[in-house]
Amino acid sequence: MAWRLRLAPEKTNIDFFKIQWLTFGGSMALMVAAFVFWGMYGLNFGIDFKGGTTIRTESTQAVDVGAYRKALDGLAIGDVVITEVFDPTFRADQHVAQVRVSSADAEQAVGEEAVGAVQAALTALDPAIKFPSVETVGPKVSGELVKTSVLAVATTSILIMLYIWMRFEWQFALGAVLALLHDVFITVGIFALFQIKFDLTIIAALLTILGYSINDTVVVFDRLRENLIKYKTMPLKEVMNLSVNETLSRTLMTSLTTLIAVGAMLVFGGDVIRGFSFAIFIGVVLGTYSSVYVAKNIVLMIGLDRSDKPKNGRPSDHEFANIDA
């Protein structure tokens, strides 16, 4: 018989409600703390949200990001993000980078003097360097990006809630979305607490977290719906425990394999994607936790109507339950 790795026994009987005052209560406390950190420290916005200038460089010499950053140290400029650009159409001796510079004053755009100082410092390092393009994003455009990012997260949450409502019941939809917001708010709170750079890549990470977390929650809810039909007289809390236990092995395996991939990105991905990888890593952990301890607790508190109500001429727990989606 082939040996198979199991992260959990084939059958478990864990009472996930036994210490709900600690698990669910702790989650609520963390959300409150996240808002407090957000209010006290604010977010350390990157160039995308503060405004800045992108200077494209081109040289016959290889790009040394560390040397570029060292050459720009001490200049009267704000944050600097240096990214080497790769393209299969580039010549063998064509080395391109993007130097993104934010203004030292968040209310002002990067001035020509600051751009000139950056170009002079890089030219002193590499006399062969050229500057094909210089693009500036002002604070007004950055403010619009902030609003658009918030709108993207809010719209995604609403659409997910509508889908879950159609697929299950409104109680499931509310529980799922509140669990998603739990994951997002705590992640943002961690970024505020440690003042980690917050830019558009983090927004992409938050949207990815929403997708990952709802996938895990839907698996639990789908099993819960099947068991609600199967065990009509079993108390709701026990049906929920049974459903989470039955999907526990799948939940742990999915989370572990995802964390291995994201952990590799976090360790070996470098500075450019470190913030993104960190957000995803935290989000996967929180998403797994909320699927087990948060979403179903909210549904339990709201309650479910378990009476038999045939709809559309067939016995079903929900009129949309048999949609193939």
Side-chain angles (χ1 to χ4, degrees):
M1 186 177 187
W3 180 82
R4 292 187 299 170
L5 173 65
R6 285 191 175 276
L7 298 180
E10 189 171 354
K11 290 186 178 181
T12 59
N13 190 28
I14 302 172
D15 185 0
F16 291 98
F17 291 97
K18 187 174 183 180
I19 52 173
Q20 63 178 341
W21 60 270
L22 179 62
T23 55
F24 186 73
S27 292
M28 298 304 102
L30 284 176
M31 286 188 66
V32 172
F35 280 108
V36 171
F37 295 144
W38 198 349
M40 288 177 58
Y41 305 118
L43 292 172
N44 182 16
F45 287 123
I47 294 173
D48 296 326
F49 295 136
K50 289 197 302 186
T53 296
T54 299
I55 304 172
R56 187 178 180 91
T57 71
E58 185 175 325
S59 177
T60 55
Q61 297 184 23
V63 175
D64 186 337
V65 174
Y68 279 27
R69 185 173 288 111
K70 187 176 181 180
L72 299 180
D73 283 347
L75 297 181
I77 55 179
D79 297 326
V80 178
V81 177
I82 304 170
T83 308
E84 186 172 2
V85 179
F86 298 95
D87 193 301
T89 63
F90 288 166
R91 303 184 310 273
D93 64 343
Q94 185 179 11
H95 304 282
V96 179
Q98 283 188 339
V99 181
R100 303 167 70 193
V101 183
S102 67
S103 173
D105 185 353
E107 302 299 323
Q108 301 285 337
V110 177
E112 293 183 4
E113 292 183 2
V115 174
V118 171
Q119 291 176 336
L122 294 177
T123 301
L125 176 68
D126 178 8
I129 199 169
K130 297 178 181 178
F131 306 98
S133 66
V134 177
E135 299 176 354
T136 299
V137 176
K140 183 178 180 180
V141 175
S142 298
E144 293 175 356
L145 284 176
V146 174
K147 295 178 183 177
T148 304
S149 300
V150 173
L151 181 62
V153 174
T155 302
T156 301
S157 301
I158 292 171
L159 291 176
I160 288 174
M161 183 168 65
L162 290 175
Y163 171 75
I164 299 300
W165 170 73
M166 292 183 64
R167 198 72 178 86
F168 298 96
E169 296 279 357
W170 70 265
Q171 295 94 329
F172 288 81
L174 187 59
V177 169
L178 289 179
L180 293 182
L181 295 179
H182 159 276
D183 304 338
V184 170
F185 288 152
I186 294 179
T187 301
V188 173
I190 291 173
F191 271 73
L193 175 62
F194 295 106
Q195 288 296 286
I196 303 171
K197 197 74 64 185
F198 195 92
D199 52 25
L200 283 177
T201 62
I202 308 305
I203 297 298
L206 294 180
L207 294 174
T208 305
I209 291 170
L210 291 178
Y212 175 88
S213 184
I214 197 61
N215 176 69
D216 209 25
T217 302
V218 164
V219 170
V220 176
F221 279 176
D222 200 47
R223 183 59 58 89
L224 173 59
R225 183 179 59 185
E226 292 175 1
N227 286 335
L228 284 171
I229 300 173
K230 189 176 181 181
Y231 304 102
K232 294 183 179 296
T233 60
M234 182 183 291
L236 181 57
K237 182 183 289 188
E238 293 183 20
V239 179
M240 288 182 169
N241 258 332
L242 175 65
S243 302
V244 177
N245 276 286
E246 289 179 345
T247 57
L248 184 60
S249 180
R250 183 264 181 202
T251 297
L252 292 177
M253 184 63 72
T254 303
S255 300
L256 181 62
T257 52
T258 307
L259 287 174
I260 290 174
V262 177
M265 292 171 56
L266 183 61
V267 174
F268 302 109
D271 292 337
V272 176
I273 62 170
R274 184 155 292 143
F276 174 84
S277 303
F278 179 73
I280 295 290
F281 192 93
I282 296 297
V284 169
V285 174
L286 290 172
T288 303
Y289 181 86
S290 65
S291 297
V292 174
Y293 285 109
V294 177
K296 64 179 180 53
N297 290 61
I298 295 173
V299 176
L300 179 65
M301 288 189 294
I302 298 173
L304 290 173
D305 182 5
R306 302 178 64 185
S307 59
D308 291 328
K309 295 185 295 182
K311 299 177 182 178
N312 297 337
R314 65 178 183 272
S316 172
D317 60 328
H318 192 281
E319 61 181 311
F320 299 108
N322 294 319
I323 292 178
D324 186 14

